[in-house]
Amino acid sequence: MKHSSSGKDEEKKARKSAPVRLKDIARDMGLSTVTISKVLRGHSDIGEETRKRVLKRMKEMHYQPNFAARALITGKTWTIGLVVPDLLHPFFAQVAKSISAEIRGQGYCLMITSSEEDPELEQQEIDQLLARRVDALLIASAQWTVESFRRIEERKIPYVLIDRKFAGLGANFVGVDDELVGILATNHLIERGCRRIAHIRGPETSTALGRAEGYRRALAEHSLPAIPGHILSIGSSGDDRGEPGGFEATRKLLAFKARPDGIFCFNDPVALGAMRAILGAGLRIPQDIAVVGCGNVLYSDFLRVPLTSVDQDSSAIGKRAAALALSLVGAKGTVRPKTELVVPRLIVRESTLRNQK
Amino acid sequence: MKHSSSGKDEEKKARKSAPVRLKDIARDMGLSTVTISKVLRGHSDIGEETRKRVLKRMKEMHYQPNFAARALITGKTWTIGLVVPDLLHPFFAQVAKSISAEIRGQGYCLMITSSEEDPELEQQEIDQLLARRVDALLIASAQWTVESFRRIEERKIPYVLIDRKFAGLGANFVGVDDELVGILATNHLIERGCRRIAHIRGPETSTALGRAEGYRRALAEHSLPAIPGHILSIGSSGDDRGEPGGFEATRKLLAFKARPDGIFCFNDPVALGAMRAILGAGLRIPQDIAVVGCGNVLYSDFLRVPLTSVDQDSSAIGKRAAALALSLVGAKGTVRPKTELVVPRLIVRESTLRNQK
DNA sequence: TTGAAAGCGCTACCAA
DNA sequence: TTGGTAGCGCTTTCAA
């Protein structure tokens, strides 16, 4: 330190190695804080000479701007909030990963919270993120109502829904074309010669509805009957969903008099449960029953019977959702909500490799 | 609004529905901001009557404190930073999930960044989190050197290493007892009658070193020879690690004249690669070669050959790391660094179910 | 090109 | 029990 500091500042430095402030650099160089601040932000009206000197000294002193102070004035936190129903689910993990990668380069950080599929908890987490004044919010919602979104809108914070959308809510949305998912999967089973195709659908989300709708349309287009009892739903509470849900639903299907010869499962964990039930009953996959999942979860290749699955391109969903959110942050005034649908792709594996009839 | 507001504030309200401030509530109720602030923080010297009234009005007006302003004064951001090498890896996803759950109830949010196994990127991400003044840092490091940790220490921000530790660094650490992992896995193979046990180890991390050491110790204790060439390492760069790395390493092992009859793999993805190589060569698991993985990754039950694996209890690791970090945030002065080791557990499945000799 | 002054929303400190 | 005042570290505005 070349220049003298006030007693208060000295004391502060001593007590706990407090981070360097603009003021410290200013005093050290005999300049004003304003000048330093301008250099920091690349402001134009600073002498080239001064700028270089300041920049150099900043590095030497390991200066890092205080985001809180900056946010207090500018209102920008350089933080994006993400709410997912479950971080452990590979789909959401992949989405989080690609969002993170997309915003990193732009100077943003990601606050991730998990709702554990609980609407109430999700509500709280959204409130937390709003209180922290994130610049934008990305939400894969477990909500039944649109109330919490209204709250976000009041705050005028841009938000993008991921994966699950809500009818009658003019919100930005990025997800897969779920109806197409259902059509791809069902058509494939039909092509493989299946004629009694069942569907194990998910709980009441747009995703589940869309896939079920695609399934119905595909059947109808091939003039196949929609056999009553061939659409089952897994539970929406904790243990019923995923693998155990698929197992239970399939057991019911197997007991059915018109036993299906193909099953389109809402997602891969459900498909795993279905396969366990089928193999456990002494039946063969795909000869007796073919199975299609959705999500193309990691390691599908290594399963007991490698699983045919519809890939949702979760990486693209994350990337596009992040890009959309950032564009909204930069935008002035209200922008018309956008919907971006990613095109699903069928990955064929052994679980549907049977002779066509 | 019962009371009059200044022109400036009025203007602000109009321009953009700005969030409610303490000042707004104060003016509305004819009290001072200090009083409101005290109520907000549960300060004792406030009349019961006033307190209730204020609390009620706060709710009505949807007041949410501004974290930036608060952080500026108190120095607390109520944010924990987490750096992982890969969010998609189920181990780190589970760790993140349980950290998130653990700190949620205490009012903290989690900033998650991914280093993509790149030490340089990790350095940058740590800097980002430091600049944002997180209250504590949790790091599963991809680093080779301890330089970036020194930087954190300078800042006096508490940090906890997860999963991978560093010799000669007096840092807090929470992870699995890796040597025990190696011992459990290897002993199990020995008990199952394997006599030529190979190990496919990971890149130069404490985790890989510990597991390899446990493997060696178990062999030595059973007076089994450590056959040269029976320890292979997967690459550390992108595509070589994980499944493809395990596949390549196993191909080399199979070509070996003293072909192993058991393989202990660094982690489950590597084990998947190993199984693919073994089955692809027309050999049987576990009859010809038994395989043990580590991590007990999701869906191990549903693999072509269900995989015996050492469970690291990633959930406990996350939970304990978070608890440790929070205790450090609250602590006054320097605390002696703590190491917490979680005890691994062997989960036996088909990939090692062979007759004992 | 540079800097003095004001103030972002809140809390700490002390006086009333 | 209540509130005035000062200031956290920074940016904004405007004058020099």
Side-chain angles (χ1 to χ4, degrees), chain B residues 241-353:
Chain B
R241 60 190 345 137
E243 201 272 330
F247 180 78
E248 279 311 321
T250 306
R251 298 247 295 193
K252 283 181 203 153
L253 285 174
L254 296 183
F256 211 61
K257 56 181 183 288
R259 199 185 74 199
D261 55 4
I263 306 181
F264 162 41
C265 300
F266 172 64
N267 63 21
D268 285 350
V270 168
L272 288 187
M275 295 204 291
R276 179 159 65 94
I278 294 167
L279 296 176
L283 297 167
R284 296 162 307 163
I285 303 172
Q287 294 84 351
D288 296 316
I289 305 180
V291 178
V292 179
C294 177
N296 194 30
V297 121
L298 278 66
Y299 313 130
S300 295
D301 278 324
F302 304 96
L303 302 179
R304 207 167 299 184
V305 181
L307 179 64
T308 293
S309 186
V310 183
D311 190 294
Q312 310 174 59
D313 202 350
S314 27
S315 168
I317 291 177
K319 195 179 154 92
R320 291 170 67 174
L324 178 53
L326 290 189
S327 80
L328 294 171
V329 172
K332 319 243 176 269
T334 322
V335 188
R336 223 173 67 87
K338 234 188 195 167
T339 290
E340 292 194 23
L341 290 186
V342 164
V343 178
R345 212 163 45 100
L346 188 77
I347 311 291
V348 179
R349 298 198 185 87
E350 226 175 288
S351 74
T352 56
L353 274 190

Side-chain angles (χ1 to χ4, degrees), chain A residues 267-283:
Chain A
N267 64 21
D268 286 348
V270 169
L272 289 186
M275 296 205 290
R276 179 157 67 93
I278 294 167
L279 296 175
L283 296 168

